[in-house]
Amino acid sequence: MVAVKEERSLEEGLLKLKNQNDASGCRITACVILSTFVAICGSFSFGVSVGYTSGAEVGMIKDMGLSIAEFSAFGSFSTLGATFGALFSGKMAIMLGRKGTMWVSDILCITGWLCIAFAKDVLWLNIGRFSSGIGLGLISYVVPVYIAEITPKHVRGTFTFSNQLLQNCGLAMVYFCGNFINWRMMALLGALPCFIQGIGLFFVPESPRWLAKASTDKELENSLLRLRGRDADISSEASEIQVMTKMLESDSKSSFSDLLQRKYRHTLVVGIGLMLIQQFSGSTAVLCYANTIFRKAGFSVAIGSTLLGIFVVPKAMIGLILVDKWGRRPLLLASASGMCLFCMFIGLAFTLQQKMQLLLELTPVFTFICVTLYIASYAIGVGGLPWVIMSEVFPMNIKVTAGSIVTLASWSSSSVVTYAFNFLFEWSTQGTFYIFGAVGGAALVFIWFLVPETKGLSLEEIQLSLIREPDEINHT
């Protein structure tokens, strides 16, 4: 009974601080911009890794004498490594801090890219791919979490979505440069952003929310002053963070058993569900093997990859601009609708071309247009927003365990899709995309009924509303 009263009083204190905090913490300082830029440098390497197999396929198979099975295994080793990294991402982020975890990921990614660039046989290719994959597993968790924890709430979605923008920049580099740059040189370019991030981390502050849990109040305040400006009044924001941290620590410690509590089930289902939608709707397969799809459709690989390289960054800007204007739910619904529709159209194009021998001159162009629009639909919502929402909805006391499980779900499902795609594509080109389209249709139902809107709310407000909801239902 005493614990319940204490929790209620802490909640009331948090709500009182809301109005005070609305007036402060709204400045976008140079430190916030620099910290975000440093964090998303790793996302560029992420994008290079995702698209690397598409740009390197022909040259690598020719130079190294790889079979289709060996190249498919090489492609899936990245997601397999990321799955392994995801297992430790949450614990590492809480033990070493957000910055410490990014440093570890940089070391792993640089090592992996250098192994690929100087590989003499398939063993070193796979070791390098696995090592960089572990780093990607850490990056995919810690970068959106770090950005969400340092940015003001009115621009948090935009800044966190910039993670997706830099991933697309990495993709664009591979698609565009893969036509005239050797696959070994592309591997070296993939390592460059990790060097930049490793140096830049010396000049940016640690997450204030991690400091509230792991360090002193003084360090928390110093971090906020750097992020909000030396003349800013950070007292209300610091108090809000401390109150929420205290409430969650009095509630429980981070462990797997906490996730089984009724009040956390909704957030866990949303986090895992969005990651499964992201992968089983075919996004990783299309991004990794875009050139294979163009080749199968009879469209010029050189023209297709070059146009994708030009197009891939501007279309990511759409989501960046709209995420804090439209909100998360509308963008996710629009994104899933587009992915479902264009997958069905791609399946129809291959049906007309291969089964019915109709419109043979038009279907290659139609396939390219649909693939491009599919990637555009993915980029404005399903590509980045699951990571944004994951970084927002989990309270600090379960963020380690829940974040690791969600990241693990993403990378393990990505590993399955990446490895299986070439075999599915040989089995039935049109059937593969009909399956992806069906998943997109199911995603619409999931998002409509289960995914909450988090636009314009502080992390503490989001988490408080989600964990109170089941209790209120129980009392009624």
Side-chain angles (χ1 to χ4, degrees):
M1 193 70 180
V2 174
V4 173
K5 288 182 178 179
E6 183 180 351
E7 183 172 324
R8 290 293 182 190
S9 66
L10 287 168
E11 289 176 5
E12 290 170 5
L14 185 60
L15 292 172
K16 286 178 182 178
L17 288 165
K18 177 182 180 297
N19 293 331
Q20 299 173 16
N21 198 33
D22 286 341
S24 63
C26 293
R27 292 172 55 187
I28 304 173
T29 62
C31 185
V32 170
I33 295 172
L34 175 64
S35 300
T36 302
F37 171 76
V38 169
I40 60 178
C41 280
S43 303
F44 186 94
S45 184
F46 185 115
V48 173
S49 182
V50 170
Y52 186 75
T53 48
S54 181
E57 180 179 5
V58 174
M60 186 177 286
I61 289 177
K62 180 181 177 181
D63 293 349
M64 304 296 288
L66 304 181
S67 66
I68 292 297
E70 286 175 324
F71 187 76
S72 294
F74 169 78
S76 66
F77 264 112
S78 177
T79 50
L80 190 63
T83 303
F84 184 77
L87 286 171
F88 305 99
S89 59
K91 283 292 183 185
M92 192 173 292
I94 205 69
M95 291 173 63
L96 302 180
R98 302 350 182 190
K99 288 173 59 178
T101 305
M102 283 188 269
W103 265 315
V104 172
S105 72
D106 289 335
I107 293 170
L108 290 167
C109 285
I110 291 169
T111 302
W113 284 119
L114 292 178
C115 285
I116 292 171
F118 298 103
K120 298 299 183 183
D121 54 42
V122 69
L123 176 62
W124 282 105
L125 285 175
N126 291 337
I127 290 173
R129 190 72 168 163
F130 186 76
S131 175
S132 62
I134 297 173
L136 296 181
L138 300 176
I139 287 172
S140 61
Y141 170 78
V142 75
V143 168
V145 168
Y146 175 75
I147 297 172
E149 290 178 349
I150 65 170
T151 49
K153 64 183 179 182
H154 69 292
V155 293
R156 186 182 61 245
T158 299
F159 273 70
T160 309
F161 204 87
S162 63
N163 176 46
Q164 176 72 11
L165 177 64
L166 262 289
Q167 289 178 24
N168 279 272
C169 289
L171 273 173
M173 191 276 287
V174 173
Y175 288 151
F176 189 76
C177 298
N179 294 315
F180 52 85
I181 290 182
N182 183 275
W183 58 272
R184 295 184 187 274
M185 180 59 68
M186 279 200 296
L188 292 176
L189 290 176
L192 181 60
C194 299
F195 280 106
I196 297 173
Q197 184 183 66
I199 296 170
L201 286 169
F202 286 102
F203 303 98
V204 300
E206 181 56 90
S207 161
R209 286 172 173 83
W210 180 77
L211 291 172
K213 190 175 178 69
S215 191
T216 63
D217 292 345
K218 184 66 176 176
E219 290 185 70
L220 162 64
E221 291 170 2
N222 287 337
S223 176
L224 281 174
L225 283 171
R226 290 183 65 186
L227 291 166
R228 303 294 178 253
R230 290 295 175 183
D231 58 341
D233 180 10
I234 51 93
S235 57
S236 60
E237 185 175 5
S239 298
E240 184 178 4
I241 292 171
Q242 289 164 338
V243 166
M244 190 64 178
T245 302
K246 183 178 178 183
M247 186 181 79
L248 294 171
E249 284 183 344
S250 66
D251 187 21
S252 62
K253 300 294 182 183
S254 180
S255 67
F256 181 78
S257 60
D258 291 337
L259 300 180
L260 302 179
Q261 295 180 40
R262 183 179 178 85
K263 62 183 176 181
Y264 296 136
R265 289 177 193 170
H266 183 196
T267 57
L268 191 64
V269 168
V270 168
I272 293 176
L274 287 175
M275 293 303 178
L276 295 180
I277 287 167
Q278 185 187 69
Q279 299 305 328
F280 287 115
S281 58
S283 58
T284 302
V286 173
L287 294 172
C288 287
Y289 298 108
N291 286 355
T292 302
I293 298 169
F294 295 151
R295 197 175 295 113
K296 191 80 168 181
F299 191 82
S300 169
V301 171
I303 294 173
S305 58
T306 301
L307 291 177
L308 270 186
I310 295 171
F311 178 72
V312 78
V313 175
K315 51 109 174 136
M317 292 293 293
I318 299 173
L320 189 73
I321 295 168
L322 296 179
V323 65
D324 278 318
K325 293 184 177 180
W326 283 19
R328 283 53 159 166
R329 276 173 54 85
L331 279 180
L332 280 172
L333 289 169
S335 177
S337 299
M339 292 171 70
C340 173
L341 181 65
F342 294 118
C343 271
M344 291 298 182
F345 281 160
I346 295 170
L348 177 62
F350 280 120
T351 300
L352 291 173
Q353 183 188 58
Q354 298 180 7
K355 296 294 183 182
M356 304 175 69
Q357 301 293 309
L358 297 174
L359 304 175
L360 296 181
E361 294 182 357
L362 294 178
T363 48
V365 177
F366 183 66
T367 300
F368 168 75
I369 293 172
C370 288
V371 168
T372 303
L373 293 175
Y374 168 89
I375 295 175
S377 299
Y378 166 79
I380 66 170
V382 172
L385 285 176
W387 297 104
V388 174
I389 293 172
M390 182 273 289
S391 69
E392 293 176 330
V393 298
F394 294 126
M396 282 297 295
N397 67 316
I398 65 163
K399 185 168 280 190
V400 173
T401 309
S404 297
I405 290 175
V406 169
T407 309
L408 176 63
S410 173
W411 284 111
S412 58
S413 56
S414 177
S415 182
V416 171
V417 172
T418 304
Y419 184 75
F421 176 76
N422 281 322
F423 300 103
L424 281 172
F425 207 53
E426 289 299 318
W427 163 70
S428 174
T429 51
Q430 66 272 16
T432 302
F433 285 97
Y434 288 145
I435 293 171
F436 292 157
V439 174
L444 286 171
V445 179
F446 179 88
I447 295 165
W448 181 266
F449 287 105
L450 292 176
V451 177
E453 182 56 76
T454 59
K455 182 186 75 168
L457 300 174
S458 72
L459 296 182
E460 287 70 29
E461 290 163 12
I462 295 167
Q463 293 153 12
L464 186 61
S465 66
L466 288 172
I467 64 177
R468 287 182 64 185
E469 185 178 295
D471 291 333
E472 290 173 355
I473 293 172
N474 284 343
H475 287 308
T476 55

